[in-house]
Amino acid sequence: MSRHARIESTFESEEAARQVAATLRPDNTPEMETAVDGTTVVTAVERETTGGLGATVDDYVVNLQVATQLTTTDGETSTTTDNNE
């Protein structure tokens, strides 16, 4: 029996959601799928064990935080954590 998780993150615009999803996809394993639904990034994860699912979700959340920091509200990517520049 597999374990499943679905993670949804909503952004200010569809463009921001697309940028975040594009940043996340290269780190996905074959058991992960990331899609954009309007302003929401949806990632589904499937693992055989609860521990494996927890570790994958933890890694994903860290990657999501970094991808979000790199995406500014004007649609440009940034290497700073201050999106007001």
Side-chain angles (χ1 to χ4, degrees):
M1 175 181 247
S2 296
R3 279 57 170 175
H4 303 269
R6 179 181 166 102
I7 303 154
E8 296 184 13
S9 305
T10 302
F11 296 89
E12 292 182 15
S13 69
E14 288 184 41
E15 180 61 27
R18 283 193 294 272
Q19 287 180 348
V20 168
T23 301
L24 292 169
R25 281 189 192 108
D27 289 326
N28 284 0
T29 65
E31 298 85 8
M32 298 173 71
E33 183 176 324
T34 298
V36 177
D37 183 10
T39 59
T40 303
V41 175
V42 180
T43 299
V45 182
E46 180 179 346
R47 287 288 185 267
E48 291 301 316
T49 66
T50 302
L53 180 64
T56 300
V57 169
D58 184 58
D59 289 345
Y60 174 85
V61 169
V62 171
N63 291 342
L64 176 62
Q65 289 172 330
V66 171
T68 300
Q69 289 175 347
L70 293 175
T71 303
T72 63
T73 57
D74 63 4
E76 297 294 322
T77 56
S78 171
T79 56
T80 68
T81 57
D82 181 5
N83 289 334
N84 295 322
E85 292 182 11

